[in-house]
Amino acid sequence: MKKLFTSESVTEGHPDKICDKISDSILDAILAQDPMSRVACETTATTGIISVMGEITTDAVVKYDDIIRETLREIGYDRAKYGFDCDTCAVISSIHSQSPDIAMGVDRSLEAKNGDGDKYDTGAGDQGMMFGFACDETPELMPLPISLAHKLAKKLTEVRKNGTLPYLRADGKTQVSIEYDGDTPVRVDTIVISSQHDPEVTQDKIRKDIIANVIETTVDEKLLDENTKIYVNPTGRFVIGGPQGDSGLTGRKIIVDTYGGYGRHGGGAFSGKDPTKVDRTAAYAARYIAKNVVASGIAKKCEVQLAYAIGVARPVSVMVDTFGTSVYSNETIADAIVDLVDLRPAAIIERFDLRKPIYAQLAAYGHMGREDLGVAWEKTDIASDIKKALAK
């Protein structure tokens, strides 16, 4: 049975991604000085204004204005004709410390208060459920639609920054529709790329250049055929972009950040949150488990759900679904995982070394499948252990 599945990505100059990167750049600057900081930093962007707000408890001393302006400069918004100028925009900040009601549950878990504590006493910073996913469609064990959408978005940024297509601007979006035969991806059905650009360049030139320098250099030609549809700036013009064209908000691209809609999402955003927040930490752990299950060869596809209660260290539930692609039951795999991986927040933080300033690099082009960044949750170091545990 044939079907189509579509995923999108956006560049780092998209208004929402600007906000994600500012929030994570602030987080990184704080963690670099005080790794034990508690940070929940939200950013909004609109024409000429960046506003930062949230709960931050730290001994670090950082200059929010400088971080914000340097992040905007790095993205490419450094002159008014691009629609946003990092040097002249207004910056508003409203920061206060973490609620003591939340802090007391994070500082010392319910288990510790009941006399069952150890070095992993940290409680979950909130309730919620987090999902992780992996499948064997790509070398990094990600779904093909989101993998290609991210690669196209990264390439769009690369050819802008290296001068190959100097008339491109920072804001951009990509979208890829893959045709599946059953569960096997067989071809690219549609590619959509929209990129902000200089007002003088023609639509014909943009289309020709993006096909030649972005699509054909990124997508395997075996996936393209005479019936593949390609849309480049389908409105015909994209000069007004970034915060001038649309407002931005931290955490509004959670599907882009994860699996492009191919796997489920618990709803929690990642950017601007320190690792005691399970929205971020447990999502990385769930991806790690799912990826190692698939890497072990016991399943072609795996989804993991973890759920937590605020102030409680251990997850209240662990669910594994291999969608009928494994000879082992989902319950058996879940039991093996719980024995192999300590899923308390402090244990996850230690396993992945999450108190380091590693987050700004993840703010665009996805948090999962990022083998290019060497992040710990993309390792497949327990794949053989999972296989051995199930063989007993």
Side-chain angles (χ1 to χ4, degrees):
M1 180 182 70
K2 291 187 177 181
K3 61 184 180 184
L4 296 176
F5 193 89
T6 303
S7 294
E8 72 160 349
S9 183
V10 297
T11 66
E12 62 195 44
H14 183 280
D16 295 329
K17 279 293 151 197
I18 292 172
C19 296
D20 283 344
K21 190 156 191 177
I22 288 172
S23 293
D24 275 335
S25 295
I26 290 172
L27 172 64
D28 280 356
I30 291 171
L31 291 178
Q33 294 184 39
D34 179 6
M36 302 304 291
S37 299
R38 302 279 171 79
V39 180
C41 180
E42 310 288 343
T43 304
T44 64
T46 189
T47 306
I49 303 173
I50 298 291
S51 180
V52 177
M53 67 204 81
E55 302 173 340
I56 298 178
T57 303
T58 183
D59 291 330
V61 178
V62 299
K63 296 180 178 178
Y64 297 122
D65 277 35
D66 290 353
I67 295 167
I68 291 165
R69 295 186 194 280
E70 186 54 38
T71 301
L72 289 165
R73 189 186 312 281
E74 180 186 329
I75 291 170
Y77 287 113
D78 57 358
R79 57 189 72 180
K81 72 177 185 179
Y82 295 165
F84 208 87
D85 186 344
C86 61
D87 294 314
T88 61
C89 68
V91 173
I92 302 170
S93 62
S94 179
I95 304 294
H96 57 90
S97 60
Q98 185 179 57
S99 161
D101 292 347
I102 296 174
M104 68 178 184
V106 177
D107 294 340
R108 195 159 182 258
S109 67
L110 182 65
E111 292 94 327
K113 293 170 186 174
N114 290 336
D116 188 25
D118 58 18
K119 68 174 183 174
Y120 300 128
D121 279 348
T122 301
D126 202 353
Q127 70 175 45
M129 62 282 188
M130 301 82 211
F131 286 93
F133 183 82
C135 61
D136 63 359
E137 294 179 12
T138 61
E140 69 272 25
L141 304 184
M142 286 287 285
L144 184 59
I146 190 65
S147 177
L148 285 180
H150 282 324
K151 288 175 181 176
L152 289 168
K154 287 178 70 177
K155 192 68 174 183
L156 199 59
T157 297
E158 179 185 321
V159 298
R160 169 178 64 89
K161 287 188 169 182
N162 68 18
T164 301
L165 302 180
Y167 57 79
L168 294 183
R169 301 292 178 250
D171 196 356
K173 303 179 79 170
T174 63
Q175 185 172 285
V176 178
S177 300
I178 297 294
E179 181 181 305
Y180 286 79
D181 185 356
D183 289 328
T184 303
V186 293
R187 59 181 290 272
V188 174
D189 182 80
T190 307
I191 295 174
V192 183
I193 295 183
S194 296
S195 179
Q196 186 185 7
H197 59 84
D198 185 283
E200 306 304 321
V201 68
T202 66
Q203 170 69 5
D204 287 344
K205 179 171 177 56
I206 295 170
R207 177 180 171 82
K208 180 181 177 182
D209 285 352
I210 285 181
I211 289 175
N213 294 282
V214 178
I215 296 174
E216 291 180 351
T217 59
T218 302
V219 182
D220 187 339
E221 62 180 7
K222 295 177 183 177
L223 292 171
L224 303 172
D225 57 36
E226 66 277 5
N227 294 318
T228 298
K229 300 177 285 295
I230 296 175
Y231 298 96
V232 176
N233 283 8
T235 68
R237 182 176 170 87
F238 187 2
V239 173
I240 300 173
Q244 184 184 23
D246 192 9
S247 61
L249 177 65
T250 298
R252 200 158 56 181
K253 284 289 178 283
I254 57 176
I255 300 304
V256 171
D257 287 341
T258 51
Y259 309 101
Y262 201 103
R264 285 175 282 193
H265 196 294
F270 302 153
S271 290
K273 296 178 180 178
D274 77 81
T276 66
K277 277 69 171 175
V278 284
D279 279 340
R280 172 168 234 154
T281 304
Y284 294 163
R287 161 65 179 171
Y288 174 72
I289 294 168
K291 185 173 184 179
N292 275 272
V293 167
V294 175
S296 73
I298 66 166
K300 294 173 65 64
K301 186 186 298 187
C302 180
E303 185 174 69
V304 174
Q305 185 201 53
L306 306 176
Y308 291 82
I310 188 168
V312 181
R314 297 188 183 279
V316 297
S317 72
V318 178
M319 183 277 293
V320 172
D321 189 351
T322 59
F323 305 94
T325 66
S326 178
V327 297
Y328 300 100
S329 72
N330 294 326
E331 294 79 9
T332 300
I333 298 172
D335 288 343
I337 292 303
V338 170
D339 289 339
L340 284 171
V341 182
D342 190 334
L343 292 169
R344 291 176 291 176
I348 299 171
I349 290 169
E350 181 180 275
R351 178 183 283 269
F352 298 151
D353 204 7
L354 294 179
R355 295 196 185 277
K356 289 186 176 180
I358 60 171
Y359 299 105
Q361 64 183 344
L362 293 160
Y365 318 115
H367 292 244
M368 313 304 177
R370 299 302 301 275
E371 294 182 347
D372 57 313
L373 300 178
V375 291
W377 54 92
E378 290 299 320
K379 292 180 180 178
T380 53
D381 53 346
I382 61 166
S384 60
D385 294 330
I386 292 172
K387 198 168 184 177
K388 287 176 185 176
L390 291 169
K392 291 179 181 178

